[in-house]
Amino acid sequence: MSQDIDVLLIGGGIMSATLGTFLKELQPDWKIAVYERLSDVALESSNAWNNAGTGHAALCELNYMPQAADGSVDPAKAITINEQFQQSRQFWSSLVEKGELDAPSTFINATPHMTFVRGEKDVEYLRKRYEALKTQPLFEGIEFSEDSRVINQWAPLLMKKRLKSDEPFAATRVPAGTDVDFGSLTHQLFANLKEKGVEVVTNREVRKLKRDGNGGWRVTTRETLGRTPGHITAKFVFVGAGGWALKLLQRSGIPEIKGYGVFPIGGQWLKTDNPALVAQHKAKVYSQASVGAPPMSVPHLDTRVVDGQTSLLFGPFATFSPKFLKNGSPWDIVSQVRPHNLLPMLKVAIDNPGLIKYLVGELLKTHARKVDSLKTFVPSAEGKDWELLGAGQRAQVMKRDPKKGGVLQFGTEVVTAKDGSIAGLLGASPGASTAVSIMLGLLKTCFPDDIARWEPRLKELVPSYGETLNTRPEVAREELAKTAGVLSISV
């Protein structure tokens, strides 16, 4: 059966849910459909257990603020990430106030964000980072300490067996951090879209995308149960299908995808529900990444709140699978190869021996060795209290580079056709946390004839749209306080 719609969203994750919500707010009359190949939405990267649930605001993540060769630290990228997360908070607050999201505690909870480092070199770096951030309005309230007694008050599990240690260590803490259940948030956004007439279809896989001659797309589909074929034509297509976005964009034939490839990296957590341990730790604590490790593999010990149940996660530990999704195909890593992306991918392999070494080391780790890694955070940890839990697949972007030939890129990137009729999202962290900012950028790029008309409504939904908060201290304080109140995350 063939039909005409205005917008097709491929993939049932937080990105499609966010874009669909924006478009329904801006154009209630548009006909929108969502196709997800699995039996439900939010089963891949947006699922609560497939990500750390960190509300990424650069409060604790060191990779957003690396130390330069001269020893200096620049807060610019950290500020940008924080600005983007504030837009997410504002948008979610708007939807809560309208009654379109459930009680905030069903998807977001106040959880302090900490950074913990050991050794003189890292302690000195963390002090410099703190000095650079403490005067920034969006990082107001950040604390620094080398005192084991203070850190023990912040996170007792970190200090057990360490209180009398001579080893240098330090920590920063921002009480206003958050833990986000993106699975619950995604489900709620799609439920709201259904109520507004959006067709959300599961068990339907997109097989082909072809230009229809009218500026739109003819999309060939197949039911995953029964394999019944189908077709639909859409004026605009968004591919928010995680690792499979590359495959679908390649099938679309747009030249903008040339030179791109992805490298899949999976993950595992150590998880505990032991009430005695959970009661001693309420924070997300990040540290430095191992040499050669990708930013997504920075070790961290996290409080997680899922379905009202609090747990602790430690990791992630990298795993390898040729699949681009947990429910992907073992041929994914091979089937992506094209003449235009082969050389960039080979160059990435040659230029990143540290990553390969890191992955091999991770794959060789037994449960006992993973617990040993945990003990660098929690010296008193015992293996019997922790179980292994599978995390999601992340498809890191590899792309052509005019100077290096090919580079491995961490983060997210939107690839858009020249005419704006199709766009897709590649990459990983801090993706979900900055979904609102990413989709605001997509709206501007793909709908240039509509954006000026939409901007007044966008400013209502996201008050800092088109502006920055960090350059306006009083406005920043007001917005942070307002969203904290609406989302019940005041500290």
Side-chain angles (χ1 to χ4, degrees):
M1 181 179 178
S2 181
Q3 63 182 108
D4 295 319
I5 61 172
D6 295 290
V7 174
L8 175 62
L9 307 173
I10 303 174
I14 186 64
M15 294 296 172
S16 291
T18 300
L19 180 57
T21 302
F22 267 127
L23 289 174
K24 259 305 173 186
E25 289 285 339
L26 300 168
Q27 290 288 161
D29 57 320
W30 280 8
K31 191 170 184 180
I32 301 173
V34 182
Y35 287 175
E36 165 57 51
R37 59 187 286 268
L38 300 181
S39 60
D40 197 3
V41 299
L43 289 181
E44 285 285 350
S45 294
S46 298
N47 181 270
W49 297 117
N50 287 343
N51 60 74
T54 303
H56 284 291
L59 302 176
C60 58
E61 308 95 313
L62 301 180
N63 54 296
Y64 298 136
M65 200 169 163
Q67 188 168 13
D70 64 0
S72 63
V73 290
D74 183 354
K77 185 174 182 180
I79 292 169
T80 297
I81 296 293
N82 198 308
E83 293 272 11
Q84 292 174 342
F85 185 63
Q86 299 313 319
Q87 290 186 328
S88 292
R89 280 177 47 156
Q90 290 170 10
F91 186 52
W92 301 337
S93 295
S94 297
L95 298 178
V96 168
E97 289 180 317
K98 291 174 61 181
E100 294 182 359
L101 288 175
D102 296 338
S105 61
T106 61
F107 68 91
I108 189 168
N109 287 275
T111 307
H113 283 195
M114 291 179 58
T115 305
F116 179 72
V117 299
R118 298 175 297 135
E120 291 182 4
K121 181 180 177 181
D122 285 344
V123 168
E124 182 58 27
Y125 158 68
L126 191 64
R127 183 184 291 108
K128 288 182 179 180
R129 179 180 179 274
Y130 163 73
E131 292 294 334
L133 290 176
K134 70 179 184 180
T135 58
Q136 304 298 329
L138 289 179
F139 292 83
E140 191 172 287
I142 188 171
E143 303 167 83
F144 173 88
S145 182
E146 297 176 67
D147 188 330
S148 60
R149 293 167 298 180
V150 173
I151 301 172
N152 184 59
Q153 292 176 346
W154 293 347
L157 282 185
L158 297 183
M159 290 293 107
K160 283 198 170 183
K161 295 188 177 182
R162 197 176 261 137
L163 284 171
K164 297 181 180 180
S165 172
D166 293 329
E167 179 187 38
F169 49 75
T172 57
R173 179 177 183 264
V174 181
T178 54
D179 173 75
V180 185
D181 182 343
F182 288 104
S184 176
L185 179 60
T186 300
H187 274 280
Q188 291 181 41
L189 290 173
F190 278 127
N192 183 56
L193 286 174
K194 283 183 181 180
E195 291 181 3
K196 293 183 175 181
V198 172
E199 184 183 20
V200 180
V201 183
T202 56
N203 291 311
R204 185 170 297 179
E205 180 181 354
V206 171
R207 303 290 294 172
K208 296 180 183 178
L209 300 107
K210 185 178 180 180
R211 292 190 181 275
D212 66 1
N214 297 312
W217 293 87
R218 178 176 170 82
V219 181
T220 302
T221 65
R222 185 176 69 185
E223 302 291 337
T224 55
L225 302 175
R227 303 232 184 239
T228 304
H231 296 88
I232 193 169
T233 57
K235 296 176 184 176
F236 172 78
V237 175
F238 172 68
V239 188
W244 272 37
L246 174 73
K247 299 172 70 170
L248 294 176
L249 289 172
Q250 286 178 334
R251 292 174 188 176
S252 75
I254 61 171
E256 289 79 7
I257 198 62
K258 288 184 177 180
Y260 282 90
V262 296
F263 184 78
I265 300 176
Q268 289 180 322
W269 308 106
L270 284 174
K271 174 178 179 282
T272 183
D273 297 319
N274 185 329
L277 296 177
V278 172
Q280 297 177 68
H281 188 82
K282 184 178 181 182
K284 289 183 177 291
V285 185
Y286 279 59
S287 191
Q288 289 281 32
S290 303
V291 176
M296 64 163 284
S297 297
V298 170
H300 44 100
L301 178 64
D302 294 338
T303 295
R304 286 296 274 125
V305 182
V306 179
D307 296 330
Q309 175 72 34
T310 305
S311 306
L312 300 183
L313 291 183
F314 176 77
F317 300 97
T319 62
F320 178 75
S321 165
K323 299 178 180 181
F324 288 172
L325 297 169
K326 288 182 77 170
N327 296 280
S329 164
W331 297 104
D332 285 346
I333 198 168
V334 176
S335 64
Q336 71 169 319
V337 178
R338 301 287 189 278
H340 57 72
N341 66 11
L342 179 58
L343 288 179
M345 289 194 294
L346 289 175
K347 195 65 169 60
V348 166
I350 293 170
D351 291 347
N352 291 274
L355 174 60
I356 304 302
K357 181 180 178 181
Y358 165 77
L359 287 174
V360 171
E362 288 288 281
L363 293 172
L364 293 176
K365 279 186 178 179
T366 61
H367 184 273
R369 287 186 61 194
K370 288 173 180 173
V371 173
D372 286 341
S373 297
L374 168 62
K375 287 181 179 179
T376 63
F377 267 67
V378 185
S380 60
E382 297 183 21
K384 63 181 178 62
D385 292 319
W386 299 80
E387 62 177 329
L388 272 176
L389 178 71
Q393 284 285 103
R394 298 291 184 271
Q396 305 292 338
V397 176
M398 297 183 285
K399 68 178 187 178
R400 196 159 44 200
D401 181 83
K403 293 182 179 180
K404 298 183 178 180
V407 293
L408 183 65
Q409 175 177 297
F410 299 103
T412 49
E413 182 163 348
V414 177
V415 178
T416 308
K418 185 178 180 180
D419 65 358
S421 65
I422 186 170
L425 185 75
L426 303 177
S429 182
S433 294
T434 57
V436 170
S437 176
I438 293 169
M439 292 303 108
L440 287 172
L442 183 146
L443 290 172
K444 190 173 183 179
T445 300
C446 296
F447 301 94
D449 296 335
D450 301 293
I451 194 67
R453 176 168 52 85
W454 290 343
E455 283 182 345
R457 180 61 181 141
L458 289 174
K459 286 285 290 182
E460 292 176 3
L461 295 168
V462 184
S464 66
Y465 171 76
E467 300 178 287
T468 58
L469 291 173
N470 202 61
T471 55
R472 300 175 296 159
E474 289 304 318
V475 176
R477 290 190 190 98
E478 289 176 11
E479 283 300 322
L480 285 167
K482 179 183 177 182
T483 58
V486 174
L487 296 175
S488 301
I489 52 174
S490 300
V491 293

